[in-house]
Amino acid sequence: MTESIPSPRVWLITGSSSGFGKALTECALSKGDIVVATLRKPEVLKELQDRTSPEKLLVLKVDVTKEEDVLNAFAKAKERFGRIDVVINNAGYSMGSVVEATPEDAARAIFETNFWGATRVSREAVRTFRDSNPAGTGGRLIVISSSSGLRPLPITGYYGATKHALEAITQSLVEELDPNWNIKVTLVEAGAFRSSAIQSAPRLPTPEVYMTPTSGLAKLEKLFGHLMKPDAKMGDTVKFAEKVWELLALPNPPLRLPLGLDSIDFIEGQLKIISTDLEEYRSWSEDVNEK
């Protein structure tokens, strides 16, 4: 028998400065919950902090690439509020570049944040839910992923690779958890939403050799350029936050939740690619096992 999560809930959100993180911070506060908002530049949330009671909002400087920052944030949250009920594992950034033209230091840097930083947060969330919260209450871990993690596209190779790795390690983590711990985990595969994280994403130059009419890159270059425009039609981060709020009410949430019709389209496209290959080459596996 599991205990119910107390109300108001205590959230810890990484990457709260903009986009999903800021929208989720404001959503949780508007519903009466308590938020520990973490970000690299706390001054960004000064206006929100000034109009919110310190009993409802704690703002902490956190760089998820630094283990001491992550551990300190969880410790301070528990010290101030006694528990953490919801962790939004959101901190990350995007980058546009063809694989061949991506410098290794840039590729490693995006993995440091999007993969290593995120897994650091997930590990500490699980420990907190299991060992520090009242017995049986567990907690909710929401990992903000991307449709690129399941359907990588041109220009998003390394970004997609970080999310692909995050998808894999999160699913493995979920299968390692004891159901009695009452820890629920969901990967949210976001499509393109109105976010400074997308529109401020670094864009590395594309070699001319790739810019041919027959390359798979041309169409995506057009899409990427469209997303950089101020009037681009994308998802609403406020509505995204409301959907995550609804997700938290589900007693048995899904492992994966695509959000955005473009996300569903991309993922369905990937499933078709995989299904086609499985069917066409199934016979190749019929005689490879040992006799």
Side-chain angles (χ1 to χ4, degrees):
M1 179 124 179
T2 58
E3 300 291 330
S4 61
I5 293 176
S7 180
R9 292 174 295 195
V10 180
W11 299 46
L12 186 147
I13 303 174
T14 65
S16 296
S17 60
S18 64
F20 298 140
K22 188 174 182 182
L24 285 160
T25 297
E26 293 176 342
C27 178
L29 291 172
S30 74
K31 306 288 189 182
D33 278 353
I34 297 165
V35 177
V36 179
T38 76
L39 61 169
R40 288 182 300 165
K41 298 178 179 179
E43 61 273 16
V44 171
L45 292 184
K46 185 179 186 310
E47 189 272 333
L48 180 62
Q49 204 170 8
D50 287 345
R51 59 182 168 86
T52 307
S53 164
E55 295 179 355
K56 286 291 186 181
L57 176 64
L58 174 63
V59 178
L60 298 175
K61 181 178 181 179
V62 171
D63 180 343
V64 297
T65 67
K66 298 177 180 178
E67 183 174 17
E68 61 273 21
D69 279 15
V70 173
L71 298 180
N72 182 57
F74 276 83
K76 285 189 173 181
K78 288 182 286 186
E79 180 183 343
R80 173 74 71 89
F81 302 114
R83 67 184 196 278
I84 301 170
D85 305 307
V86 179
V87 171
I88 306 291
N89 194 349
N90 168 70
Y93 68 94
S94 185
M95 177 177 69
S97 175
V98 298
V99 173
E100 182 186 345
T102 306
E104 189 169 314
D105 59 346
R108 288 182 178 276
I110 196 169
F111 263 91
E112 283 297 328
T113 297
N114 292 10
F115 177 72
W116 290 110
T119 54
R120 189 172 288 123
V121 172
S122 288
R123 289 197 304 265
E124 194 58 26
V126 167
R127 278 194 287 265
T128 298
F129 294 153
R130 184 190 59 222
D131 299 340
S132 297
N133 284 358
T137 59
R140 295 294 182 97
L141 171 60
I142 308 297
V143 181
I144 306 300
S145 184
S146 166
S147 56
S148 294
L150 294 177
R151 173 67 169 101
L153 299 169
I155 320 176
T156 65
Y158 280 104
Y159 171 73
T162 65
K163 295 299 188 178
H164 196 70
L166 187 58
E167 292 270 339
I169 204 162
T170 300
Q171 183 165 345
S172 182
L173 171 66
V174 168
E175 295 187 13
E176 293 167 355
L177 301 178
D178 187 327
N180 291 322
W181 297 345
N182 197 27
I183 298 171
K184 310 292 186 181
V185 184
T186 297
L187 285 151
V188 179
E189 281 116 3
F193 278 75
R194 174 74 56 198
S195 166
S196 62
I198 286 180
Q199 297 191 314
S200 64
R203 176 74 171 89
L204 305 184
T206 299
E208 282 296 323
V209 69
Y210 281 92
M211 298 308 297
T212 64
T214 54
S215 80
L217 194 59
K219 183 179 178 181
L220 268 296
E221 281 282 5
K222 196 176 288 187
L223 172 63
F224 198 89
H226 167 70
L227 294 179
M228 296 303 103
K229 295 178 181 178
D231 61 346
K233 197 169 184 179
M234 290 187 281
D236 185 331
T237 56
V238 173
K239 293 178 180 178
F240 176 97
E242 289 287 344
K243 289 299 181 184
V244 172
W245 175 266
E246 292 178 31
L247 173 68
L248 294 175
L250 299 179
N252 295 297
L255 173 60
R256 289 183 169 85
L257 176 66
L259 274 183
L261 293 177
D262 56 336
S263 176
I264 292 174
D265 286 344
F266 285 145
I267 294 170
E268 285 181 338
Q270 180 73 343
L271 291 174
K272 287 178 183 177
I273 292 170
I274 294 172
S275 178
T276 297
D277 287 346
L278 283 175
E279 290 305 312
E280 186 170 352
Y281 293 98
R282 178 185 296 273
S283 63
W284 287 41
S285 295
E286 292 174 356
D287 61 353
V288 296
N289 288 353
E290 292 180 347
K291 299 291 186 184

